[in-house]
Amino acid sequence: MAETENIRVWETHSPEETFSIGELLGREALAGQIYTLIGDLGVGKTVFTQGVAAGLGITGTVNSPTFTIMQVYEEGRLPFYHFDVYRIGDVEEMEEIGYEEYFYGEGVCLIEWADLIREILPPRHIRITIKKDLEKGFDYRKIEMSSA
Ligand code: ADP
Ligand code: MG
């Protein structure tokens, strides 16, 4: 493991627990940070995101943007830019929405399915992976966070 790499691992057994971990990160999030969320469909990326939003002090409903790639929430401690790029066809769609303004801005970015836009991700981002392990139960999730 590289010396500069900082890894944190959590194990959760309910959506509420995953939400709480997101909330913790939302409370400590700094302006300009980019969180990438990697994991299969239904693993809990949006649950985690809802926790981050709550931690930032956002009280409104946060769901995965269905018809847009990105949703802005302004009512928290910092602007929150929630991307879900699951349906993206090409990174050009990111150019079209002017993603650089968000990636290099003063808010907090969180990108579900970030692996699909790997080529435009800034090198400095916080990578979060969520995995199931059915042997440990249906609601078990392993959440790993690493930042380079
Ligand atoms: P994704 O955004 O990764 O597609 P969602 O967050 O929308 O996934 O959905 C996750 C689903 O898994 C929800 O129905 C949630 O209730 C369920 N779930 C069960 N156990 C957990 C857990 N430990 N953490 C998060 N979600 C869980
Ligand atoms: Mg989702």
Side-chain angles (χ1 to χ4, degrees):
M1 191 201 309
E3 227 175 89
T4 50
E5 207 164 24
N6 169 26
I7 297 185
R8 287 155 90 182
V9 181
W10 296 271
E11 292 177 297
T12 72
H13 301 85
S14 68
E16 292 76 19
E17 259 187 273
T18 296
F19 181 99
S20 299
I21 291 160
E23 199 173 16
L24 186 89
L25 296 185
R27 272 192 238 119
E28 61 184 45
L30 304 173
Q33 271 177 339
I34 299 179
Y35 294 91
T36 65
L37 266 184
I38 317 292
D40 295 338
L41 201 63
V43 83
K45 297 181 296 302
T46 297
V47 168
F48 185 91
T49 303
Q50 288 163 342
V52 173
L56 282 165
I58 294 159
T59 51
T61 313
V62 173
N63 280 311
S64 270
T66 312
F67 300 107
T68 53
I69 297 173
M70 201 256 325
Q71 193 81 49
V72 181
Y73 299 89
E74 302 269 17
E75 74 263 37
R77 178 171 62 81
L78 293 167
F80 183 51
Y81 307 123
H82 177 206
F83 294 77
D84 186 327
V85 299
Y86 181 59
R87 287 183 186 79
I88 203 165
D90 195 278
V91 287
E92 251 172 52
E93 289 175 48
M94 291 291 286
E95 314 269 356
E96 280 160 25
I97 62 159
Y99 77 92
E100 283 167 308
E101 188 191 325
Y102 308 111
F103 278 20
Y104 303 100
E106 287 301 299
V108 173
C109 288
L110 186 150
I111 311 160
E112 295 190 48
W113 295 99
D115 274 2
L116 297 175
I117 56 159
R118 214 178 281 140
E119 62 253 60
I120 60 165
L121 286 178
R124 289 189 71 83
H125 62 263
I126 297 166
R127 180 184 168 89
I128 297 157
T129 61
I130 310 181
K131 286 180 189 149
K132 292 187 185 180
D133 182 346
L134 290 176
E135 280 179 20
K136 297 191 175 174
F138 191 68
D139 290 345
Y140 171 89
R141 303 291 190 270
K142 186 175 188 181
I143 302 171
E144 287 185 282
M145 175 168 128
S146 63
S147 54

